[in-house]
Amino acid sequence: MITSRPQKNLQTAREYYRQHLAQGEYYSEGRKATGHWFGKGAARLGLDPGAPVTEQQFSRLCENQDPVTGGQLTVRRRQKDRRVLYDFAVSAPKSVSVMALVEGDQRLIAAHDEAARVALSEMEHVAATRVGRGGQDGERTTREIVAAVFRHDTSRALDPQLHTHFVVFNATWDPAEERWKALQTFHMFDRMTFYTEVYRSELATRIRALGYELRHTDNGFEIAGVPAEIIEQFSKRRRAILEAEPGAIADINARRRQKLKKAVKQSTTAEARAAAEQALRDFVPITRLTNAGRSNLAHSTRAAKTDSLTAEEVLALQRAQLSDEEHAALCRLMSAEKPPAQSMPAPTISPAEAIAYARDHHFERQSVVEVHDLMKTALAYSRGSATLGELEAELAHRPEFLRVEDELTTTEMLQSEQQLIGLVNRGVDRCRPLNARFVGAGSLTGEQQAALRMILSSPDRVIGLRGGAGTGKTTLLGELVRGIEERQSVTVLAPTTAGVESLRKAGLSRAATVQRFLADEDFRQETLGQVLLVDEAGLLSTKDLVALVEHLERGGRLVLSGDTRQHTGIEAGDALRLLEERSALRVAGVHTIRRQVKREYRDAIAELAKGNGLEGLTRLERLGAVVEMPEPDRYAVLATQYVASLKANKSALIVSPTWREIEAVTVEVRDRLKAEGLLGSNETKMTVHHGLKWTRAQKRDMRNYRKGLVLSFHRSTRNFASGEWGDVVHVGQEAIEVQKPNGKKFQVTKKQAECFEVAEPQPLFVATGERLLIQGNRKADGLFNGQLATVKSVQPDGRIELKDGRTMTADFRAFTHGYCVTSHASQGRTVDHVYVAMNSTSWQATHRNQFYVSTSRGREQVQVYTDDLEFLRSAVRRSAARLSASEMLESRRVAQRVNPEQRQRVRTRLAV
């Protein structure tokens, strides 16, 4: 894998060269490592690729000087917070390190070197610099880096660890301005997983060519025949970190408590002392480390360098950890003898098969895909069988792809979008008004009455209704249904089961999911000629909306109600936004927000609803609703505030963009609830099913399965009814064996991938008073995905009695804690107080749409907690709208599927 770390301290950068890079190893002060230069930028400076790195050259580049002449390199010489260099470390799988370094297979070292070189060459292709002249504010690709390369072969624990440091200096040549400038590395860091897959693919291909077999792992691959026990034996650093974590947590809690005691003693006023004493009484210890905490722990647990051992002594120490039988078995792996089968043999996968898999995987959920994302998936799928050059050559002549620069779509996706737009446009002015004379209830506002009249008077086959969060759209829908039903029947649909339940609670009893409607031919026949009203239509995929509009060709009307500024669906295509922006769809709208009680709060949400993310955040800041605070104190304060809301008899919800942060928040909330006596002290450890959200392509790949996973069926098959589940007990090449809770076993094939979801068993502690989020459907028991429920009791046989009278049977395990939920799960909910947790590590999941949905759930109060306010300001500027195929092709001429430069790169790779 490839990891990265920037370095801002000049002195530390210099010492890094002397004490680590050039030193070579952790065990011998006298053993030197000679690095070599890499990159087109290095060659431009007169540093021939492959030539040795001297300390003077390294030091001069750290100081922003020409390594040969000593003259100033880039124009700017900022000293404070200047990024001196970036350290990219490429690490081989542990089994490769064992075979190469302990058993002495030098061929594997050469394979690692070449694979790392190919990966970093790819990274160099996206090197860029900032463009600021003439009022511009952007980047220019330079494709040149200056890098020093050092290969090492041990860890501080003296385990074999083959890894290479590519030290990239903060300088690149701008050909347009003809000068050296600072290096922009955004795309390098953004595509790190792609470069990791390039390295793994190149390495795996070379290893297989040497006669080794590979076995698939969750994090890449290992050499088949190297036992897991040996890999664990030589992974002492990881074990040391895991063993040290409990002590580190205890130390942090002790320091936090001591800090509070000190605050009590140093208080200068009675009020300050009272506040400090209260904080000490309310103290809740942390129970887990954050990512930053684990990083610090990894650094603090590093063993001291040992400079008294020779290389031969270290090798003898490593080999002494293997038995004679283990050593003999590893030696046989290097011979012509086949290794013992330890897993499913790795199939040979062609470039065509890999590209097809990546296409199916990505375009199930996206209309436009970045080329490097497609390649990353294809590389991982074909690991050891196809190289990046072969995959690019395959992509170049595939007729189903349309490419503009670094983005791809498919002809099928484009045709679906154009078909949808055409179907809607053909229905304009083709129908009679639904009920133009209807007058809505007097409780409707003037804006709501106008929207109602527009829809009921519309002559179009497809009509839109846009209603933002908290605008009273559900009330309006009730009146709309009443108005239509005076003339004809209405069927109300929603994309989610939770949405259907909300509609039914609002009095719209004839409601069903879109999925049920599309899957049930009898249901569709019953609704011929009726009006279909779809709520939360912004969650519809292009494929599903095309199917709904096609249904109208046999008669009927369609009303699409939704808000494209909130979340979109999982599957490909922001279909409602596509229609609003690119078709003749006429849309009625309600914009006045009614949910928020306080004007200042309401005004902030109104700005977010308009798409003004930064202005909305600024208004929340003025309201005092945004708190910047580091971990772990932030979660403790948030939990205290949340519990205070519950004690004040206010409904409350915490929203966060990622499950990692949700788990951290939940730990603090449960501890706080226990301290307040709001959660039972006796907990029951239960096993729940955490959905992995695999695509259909992933579910068809038998290599992804392992014993212990769970298949949860949402569509009936020959052996499983909808709602049933079973444990994976055996994985074959064409099918998997699944065991039901009653012990019966059945075969499930890849052809049934449409019928089930894949989940992973996880422990969950449940107590009386627990708040749970239902994540599956059990219609017979009134349990539906997205519901929140409170535990009354947990029975010895595994049943959970809920306070509302329902029962979760022992075989229903699709739930988790419900104190903190994702913004997707919060959409459509309303509470008195909403709390939002936004960590800067969740960049990809944080954007304006997510922030709008999260903050708009509250009636009376919102409080946002973040560790980095600047990160949040940047995030709310970004829209989550996914590019459509039509948008990708509209503003730019379709480029050749592979331009001349790209074609030459393909030829070069194939030649290598």
Side-chain angles (χ1 to χ4, degrees):
M1 64 178 294
I2 303 179
T3 58
S4 56
R5 184 178 64 179
Q7 179 56 256
K8 293 184 179 181
N9 187 285
L10 177 60
Q11 185 60 34
T12 301
R14 290 188 187 128
E15 293 174 355
Y16 187 54
Y17 173 85
R18 289 191 294 269
Q19 298 179 8
H20 181 61
L21 294 173
Q23 187 59 46
E25 307 306 337
Y26 294 108
Y27 55 81
S28 178
E29 190 68 32
R31 186 181 180 190
K32 300 297 181 182
T34 302
H36 65 269
W37 292 107
F38 175 92
K40 296 176 182 177
R44 184 182 294 276
L45 288 170
L47 306 171
D48 294 334
V53 177
T54 69
E55 183 172 359
Q56 183 187 59
Q57 293 167 340
F58 191 97
S59 181
R60 281 178 172 177
L61 283 168
C62 287
E63 294 177 3
N64 193 27
Q65 296 174 356
D66 187 301
V68 177
T69 67
Q72 183 174 328
L73 195 57
T74 68
V75 175
R76 295 186 179 182
R77 300 202 61 171
R78 185 176 71 177
Q79 298 298 321
K80 186 177 181 180
D81 292 330
R82 173 182 174 269
R83 293 181 184 267
V84 180
L85 54 82
Y86 304 87
D87 182 17
F88 296 95
V90 186
S91 301
K94 182 61 71 173
S95 59
V96 176
S97 294
V98 171
M99 295 304 301
L101 303 173
V102 180
E103 298 303 325
D105 192 342
Q106 296 293 312
R107 302 172 302 169
L108 293 174
I109 297 178
H112 163 79
D113 288 345
E114 186 58 22
R117 185 195 65 78
V118 172
L120 268 293
S121 294
E122 283 299 313
M123 188 180 295
E124 187 173 35
H125 290 315
V126 299
T129 191
R130 186 177 177 82
V131 179
R133 286 184 174 180
Q136 299 182 73
D137 184 14
E139 289 187 356
R140 179 183 294 119
T141 302
T142 63
R143 305 186 195 283
E144 291 193 13
I145 62 173
V146 182
V149 184
F150 296 83
R151 184 192 346 116
H152 295 165
D153 56 28
T154 58
S155 70
R156 282 183 179 262
L158 302 185
D159 287 330
Q161 183 180 333
L162 180 61
H163 63 286
T164 301
H165 293 274
F166 284 78
V167 179
V168 179
F169 293 93
N170 188 13
T172 189
W173 176 258
D174 187 340
E177 299 182 22
E178 296 187 331
R179 63 189 178 112
W180 288 95
K181 297 169 62 178
L183 177 68
Q184 291 292 308
T185 58
F186 172 79
H187 292 297
M188 291 183 180
F189 284 91
D190 184 54
R191 302 180 184 186
M192 197 58 59
T193 54
F194 165 64
Y195 302 129
T196 292
E197 286 304 334
V198 172
Y199 165 72
R200 287 173 175 165
S201 176
E202 293 288 336
L203 180 63
T205 300
R206 287 165 171 77
I207 291 175
R208 291 188 74 180
L210 295 175
Y212 289 102
E213 291 294 335
L214 308 178
R215 61 181 175 89
H216 182 78
T217 67
D218 289 343
N219 298 313
F221 72 91
E222 297 288 355
I223 294 177
V226 179
E229 294 79 12
I230 291 179
I231 292 175
E232 182 66 20
Q233 171 66 31
F234 288 120
S235 302
K236 298 181 186 66
R237 285 286 295 120
R238 186 179 70 85
R239 292 205 309 275
I241 294 171
L242 292 175
E243 290 169 1
E245 187 165 339
I249 291 173
D251 288 343
I252 291 173
N253 285 326
R255 289 197 298 271
R256 290 175 62 206
R257 189 182 293 276
Q258 188 61 36
K259 186 177 179 180
L260 290 173
K261 290 180 178 179
K262 186 176 180 181
V264 172
K265 292 180 180 179
Q266 295 180 346
S267 298
T268 57
T269 65
E271 292 80 4
R273 183 180 180 84
E277 289 174 341
Q278 183 63 44
L280 185 59
R281 286 193 297 271
D282 292 343
F283 176 80
V284 177
I286 66 165
T287 58
R288 61 192 299 172
L289 292 179
T290 63
N291 290 336
R294 289 193 180 95
S295 178
N296 292 334
L297 182 60
H299 183 80
S300 65
T301 56
R302 293 191 306 177
K305 292 180 64 173
T306 302
D307 57 12
S308 60
L309 298 177
T310 65
E312 292 74 18
E313 288 172 330
V314 171
L315 179 58
L317 178 65
Q318 292 170 347
R319 286 187 173 176
Q321 298 175 59
L322 300 175
S323 67
D324 291 342
E325 292 78 9
E326 289 172 330
H327 178 60
L330 294 180
C331 286
R332 286 195 296 271
L333 289 181
M334 290 187 289
S335 69
E337 297 181 37
K338 294 295 182 183
Q342 290 203 358
S343 63
M344 189 184 306
T348 298
I349 296 171
S350 69
E353 291 171 324
I355 292 295
Y357 174 87
R359 176 201 62 206
D360 294 345
H361 172 68
H362 284 284
F363 286 100
E364 178 180 324
R365 296 178 180 176
Q366 296 170 266
S367 300
V368 174
V369 175
E370 296 278 349
V371 173
H372 73 270
D373 281 335
L374 187 90
M375 287 299 173
K376 176 181 69 177
T377 301
L379 285 167
Y381 182 73
S382 63
R383 191 178 294 134
S385 300
T387 65
L388 180 60
E390 292 168 335
L391 292 172
E392 286 191 329
E394 174 66 25
L395 178 65
H397 72 260
R398 293 291 285 257
E400 73 264 37
F401 292 107
L402 299 171
R403 179 169 181 169
V404 174
E405 298 178 356
D406 290 330
E407 294 176 332
L408 289 171
T409 190
T410 65
T411 54
E412 180 183 7
M413 189 64 65
L414 180 63
Q415 289 167 359
S416 293
E417 292 180 2
Q418 297 304 311
Q419 179 188 10
L420 176 60
I421 293 170
L423 286 169
V424 171
N425 289 350
R426 285 201 301 271
V428 173
D429 293 326
R430 297 289 298 273
C431 305
R432 294 179 180 178
L434 290 167
N435 189 357
R437 296 182 179 180
F438 179 78
V439 178
S443 58
L444 296 182
T445 65
E447 182 183 56
Q448 290 173 321
Q449 291 282 13
L452 182 64
R453 285 194 300 271
M454 178 177 172
I455 295 171
L456 293 177
S457 302
S458 174
D460 301 340
R461 184 172 293 159
V462 183
I463 314 154
L465 169 62
R466 182 188 298 122
T471 56
K473 180 169 58 70
T474 302
T475 301
L476 177 57
L477 290 181
E479 285 300 289
L480 179 59
V481 169
R482 193 165 68 88
I484 296 172
E485 285 183 333
E486 285 189 356
R487 299 286 183 86
Q488 61 189 112
S489 298
V490 183
T491 296
V492 183
L493 304 174
T496 65
T497 306
V500 169
E501 288 303 299
S502 295
L503 290 170
R504 289 174 177 168
K505 288 180 180 178
L508 302 174
S509 57
R510 186 175 169 78
T513 62
V514 173
Q515 287 70 22
R516 183 199 159 196
F517 177 83
L518 295 178
D520 190 336
E521 175 61 27
D522 292 338
F523 189 3
R524 293 199 303 276
Q525 287 293 329
E526 292 173 8
T527 63
L528 285 178
Q530 293 185 8
V531 175
L532 301 179
L533 194 161
V534 182
D535 192 25
E536 298 289 355
L539 298 176
L540 291 177
S541 67
T542 300
K543 180 184 70 174
D544 286 348
L545 191 46
V546 166
L548 286 173
V549 180
E550 281 184 324
H551 176 77
L552 304 181
E553 296 294 296
R554 296 186 288 174
R557 309 281 288 278
L558 177 63
V559 179
L560 298 171
S561 170
D563 183 5
T564 57
R565 294 156 299 188
Q566 298 189 53
H567 284 301
T568 57
I570 294 176
E571 293 203 353
D574 298 355
L576 183 60
R577 184 180 66 83
L578 180 73
L579 291 181
E580 288 183 352
E581 297 179 359
R582 305 193 176 277
S583 77
L585 177 74
R586 286 185 273 218
V587 181
V590 284
H591 310 288
T592 303
I593 296 174
R594 308 169 68 188
R595 177 181 293 160
Q596 282 73 40
V597 176
K598 296 180 181 178
R599 182 181 60 80
E600 295 86 353
Y601 183 11
R602 192 166 58 246
D603 290 345
I605 299 304
E607 291 297 332
L608 292 171
K610 295 174 188 176
N612 301 329
L614 189 57
E615 176 60 26
L617 173 59
T618 301
R619 287 177 179 268
L620 289 176
E621 288 182 60
R622 292 183 197 142
L623 192 60
V626 181
V627 177
E628 184 180 36
M629 187 181 297
E631 297 180 31
D633 298 330
R634 181 172 76 257
Y635 295 147
V637 172
L638 189 159
T640 299
Q641 293 295 317
Y642 170 80
V643 173
S645 294
L646 298 184
K647 292 177 68 177
N649 294 319
K650 299 291 184 180
S651 59
L653 185 69
I654 307 174
V655 185
S656 184
T658 64
W659 279 105
R660 176 175 292 180
E661 187 164 22
I662 286 172
E663 290 171 1
V665 170
T666 298
V667 168
E668 294 285 353
V669 169
R670 295 185 79 248
D671 286 345
R672 187 73 238 159
L673 288 169
K674 291 175 188 175
E676 295 288 344
L678 299 178
L679 194 62
S681 57
N682 294 326
E683 297 180 322
T684 300
K685 183 179 180 180
M686 313 196 78
T687 299
V688 297
H689 300 159
H690 175 70
L692 299 179
K693 303 188 187 317
W694 285 1
T695 62
R696 287 185 288 273
Q698 288 174 304
K699 287 186 282 187
R700 295 190 191 106
D701 185 0
M702 295 293 106
R703 298 174 302 172
N704 289 329
Y705 294 94
R706 65 180 186 276
K707 185 178 178 180
L709 290 178
V710 173
L711 302 192
S712 179
F713 286 79
H714 56 79
R715 187 180 299 176
S716 296
T717 66
R718 179 180 178 182
N719 298 314
F720 289 87
S722 176
E724 286 191 314
W725 58 270
D727 295 310
V728 175
V729 293
H730 177 72
V731 180
Q733 293 190 21
E734 296 298 326
I736 50 181
E737 190 174 41
V738 180
Q739 180 175 300
K740 289 185 176 183
N742 62 12
K744 292 184 178 180
K745 300 177 182 179
F746 300 95
Q747 293 288 313
V748 176
T749 69
K750 61 181 70 177
K751 294 180 181 180
Q752 297 171 307
E754 299 272 2
C755 302
F756 61 82
E757 299 298 334
V758 183
E760 187 172 36
Q762 290 186 349
L764 191 79
F765 288 94
V766 178
T768 302
E770 200 84 71
R771 191 180 196 185
L772 300 179
L773 173 68
I774 310 300
Q775 296 180 304
N777 297 315
R778 183 69 65 85
K779 187 175 181 179
D781 296 330
L783 301 171
F784 297 101
N785 187 21
Q787 290 178 331
L788 289 170
T790 303
V791 175
K792 179 181 179 181
S793 65
V794 180
Q795 301 300 316
D797 61 1
R799 289 178 298 116
I800 298 177
E801 303 288 345
L802 302 177
K803 283 191 174 181
D804 58 15
R806 292 177 295 168
T807 299
M808 294 167 58
T809 57
D811 64 336
F812 184 82
R813 288 297 173 259
F815 61 87
T816 188
H817 292 132
Y819 307 104
C820 184
V821 301
T822 64
S823 54
H824 281 87
S826 75
Q827 186 163 317
R829 302 185 191 278
T830 301
V831 293
D832 296 324
H833 298 171
V834 64
Y835 298 93
V836 184
M838 310 279 281
N839 194 297
S840 57
T841 59
S842 58
W843 166 256
Q844 291 185 329
T846 308
H847 41 73
R848 184 170 61 243
N849 306 58
Q850 179 270 334
F851 190 70
Y852 169 42
V853 172
S854 301
T855 55
S856 61
R857 299 305 98 198
R859 277 186 291 258
E860 302 173 7
Q861 176 183 309
V862 61
Q863 199 74 37
V864 180
Y865 290 88
T866 182
D867 63 328
D868 189 338
L869 189 52
E870 283 306 313
F871 140 76
L872 191 54
R873 288 170 180 156
S874 176
V876 298
R877 291 186 177 99
R878 297 190 304 127
S879 169
R882 297 173 294 188
L883 195 66
S884 68
S886 303
E887 289 169 327
M888 187 191 98
L889 299 173
E890 180 184 64
S891 59
R892 294 167 288 181
R893 182 175 60 85
V894 177
Q896 287 181 295
R897 290 188 177 87
V898 178
N899 62 37
E901 180 184 352
Q902 293 162 338
R903 186 176 292 110
Q904 183 58 45
R905 286 171 57 191
V906 170
R907 288 172 179 164
T908 301
R909 291 197 188 93
L910 290 174
V912 173

